[in-house]
Amino acid sequence: MTPLASPTAAGFLQPPPSAGLEQFRIIPANGVYFGPYLRYTNMDLDNGVWHGSVMLISELPQPPTIHLHQSIDLSPNPRQLNPDAIHQHLDWTFYRYDIDIRMEETGDTKWTYAITSHLGCTRYEFVVAGRYDISWRFLAHTGNDFSMNVNMAERTKLGGLGTMWKDVLQKNREVGGFHVQLGVGNQIVADRIWKDIPSLRQWTAMNGKDNRKNFPWSAQIEDEIRHAYFHYYTSHFDQAHLREAFASIPHILTIDDHEIFEGYGSYPPHLQSSNIFLNIGRCAYDSYLLFQHHTTPTLLRSPPSFATKTSPSTTFDLFTITGTGWHFLKYLGPAIVVMAPDCRSERTLHQVLAGATYQGLFPKIALLPPCVQHVLWLLPTPVVYPRGGEMAESMMAGFKTGKKVVTGSFNALGKVAGGVASVVGAKGVVTGAFGEVKRVVGKGGLMNAVLSPFGEVGGVEADLERTYLIRTLQTLAHQKSIRMTFLSGGTNCAAAGLLHDPNDSSTSATASAPTSNTTISLSSRSLSSPYFPLPSTPSSTTFDQHHNHSPSHRTVFALTTPPIVNAPPSSITLRLNFPSHMTQKPIFIPANGTRSSDARAGSAIPSDTKEDMLEVFSVDVDGRAREGGGLKGVLGRRGWVCGVVFDPVFVRSAFGGGGSRGGELGSQWGAQSAAGAGAGAGAGAGAGAGAGSVMAVESQRGSWGGTSMSTLTANGANDSEHGRRAQNSIRSTTTDITPSSSGRISLAFDFMMQAEPGLSPLAAVGGGGATVKYGPIVVPGVEYGR
């Protein structure tokens, strides 16, 4: 590509030859169409119908034909799907094919859709759970593209874009198919738009706040921006292995900043409200809705149709509360709900979501039918994350050797302080760090002189907002007997945090010293209970026999997914951020409406909710011990998270022994096997915890362990119309396996981390290379009245 012309204060001397629409080469890998992208829309609880869609992007005069049939059905007359042209970009038409499948009563069914064009026929298979099944299998990922500062040599060293996606596909085959994949933001990295678009280069070269704010938007800029996003999505989603995964595992995706550009929403008002920023955001959101949700703003705001199923204010698909931002609430079976607020559209220097949005979201949780036991909150930036102490001073002391080191290494971890700051309250960290950067090496980063500190956000408002979110969800968890769990990304690291009541007797169990082959350590600071990760041998764990109930409603697990593609921060960055001598002070969540005593470090005043990190990563993927308390709570490796829903009573019966202790161990080891998803013997996993174990747990076929659904819906039932419909629609089920089940289900999560080639004795070699499993992290349900 011809280099871009250098901008001057007055603009470009001349247009570069490769600028505008001509600089991108738009050619599908198959030469015919982009896609298919298979999206999970939702599950109709009342009627037992699975809703989804397939999208293709083609410039052919006629849309490709798609036929759908159950995989075991070989009849000559499969069902043909209807193509709806929902958008046009130049000569490319976006075709959406809606899918609705009548779910079986119980048990998985495999479905095949075949795409026919003039080149032939291509088939893809996916899995649909039974109507009353609870045991959904799913994966979660973030960081699905490389950042700009990751050069080709680094990308090659990591194995390229498709390595971890190849591993996902291998596990997908081993476990019989994941029911859904959860994308927690950053499916693409569109930061390069500032380098690719000449008009934006001109804008960044200007001087003066007013000049930048009032710079006019034009039709030419609009065309160039839209074409750039079209290219970013089509070229990236067309990569090998990623393309197959998006075609065969139904996806649920939410937005973060890199779908627009880094830090969007957290800039000073004169930038965030400028014509350039506002219109780039609008174009980026249009592309996000098209590629990740198969719809457009016009369709979403139109009367009920194929695009919305219901009106935009309902929760079947995307919905808006304030008119800004699109949120969603989706069912993974009758007992699990995924809630994803749009955390970018209303973001400012002082908030993540508007107060009116919270007031619209929380009632939707309060009105969930009583069969729901868990809510997974997709929050792209973590609410609970390791605190790095004096991160700015530690990092800058080691980064005075040059601008490249500071820009590359700090930005790799910058989202810990930047993107998260509005939730965690890290304004002091961000301001101090970037102030030092400017003093030592000048203003760095993509926006050059335009930008003050990236993501400078925090203060009293952010501190109060985080507390408000946590405390309100704890109240809802108590009222509804629902376990709240945060699933986040955005830091290019893996981590597992926990909010809990320090006086809760159910979390008072202890773990003895790990054995030589133990790969997960439970430190004195991290909680050690029957519901948290196990050492690799049952004999190294002891339990308090007097506490057999689950943690209270105040317990909230917070998992941060690692990047599945993007490069993790370097080891030196992590060591500087979490030095081995660092000690963690106790952190407590204050009462709602109360400011923490230290907005950056949390509150040291004891309360009924304490913040901790689970030290899941006490060893690295190569088996070497990791020093320092801070490092054991976070791991800078590529990977993804797999999860499964299971009935702990069934698992205890199938895998446990007699007596209280045997039952508890059986429950945990069964859950560990369930979360293994074919990973083999990895970190924290017993040998042989593979796909067979997953399917053993799956053999419960979603049964409620002897407790009928009518009993579950009667307990804590609310009088909402949706609740009454759900009670009437979900039938009672029984099983002969576990007649004593309480009917409370659990989730189990594993971190699947990329291993060092040839250097990881803990790794299980699969189709995508070597991966190391850390887990499981078992999230129990909330007992009624707890």
Side-chain angles (χ1 to χ4, degrees), residues 55 71 113 132 298 302 374 535 554-555 604 640 652 689 712 746:
M55 192 170 73
S71 297
Y113 65 96
Y132 303 108
T298 301
S302 62
H374 290 263
R554 294 190 182 93
T555 300
W640 50 286
R652 183 182 300 118
L712 293 175
S746 299

Side-chain angles (χ1 to χ4, degrees), residues 359-379:
Q359 294 168 18
L361 291 174
F362 293 146
K364 295 184 183 298
I365 301 299
L367 295 177
L368 287 173
C371 56
V372 175
Q373 300 187 31
H374 290 263
V375 175
L376 291 175
W377 288 80
L378 301 189
L379 301 174

Side-chain angles (χ1 to χ4, degrees), residues 25-29 34-35 37 57 92 94 188 227-239 291:
R25 191 166 175 258
I26 310 295
I27 300 178
F34 291 105
Y37 316 133
I57 305 169
W92 297 91
F94 290 70
I188 63 169
H227 194 61
Y229 282 115
F230 179 84
H231 167 69
Y232 298 156
Y233 272 107
T234 53
S235 60
H236 183 60
F237 284 6
D238 211 29
Q239 301 291 317
F291 283 93

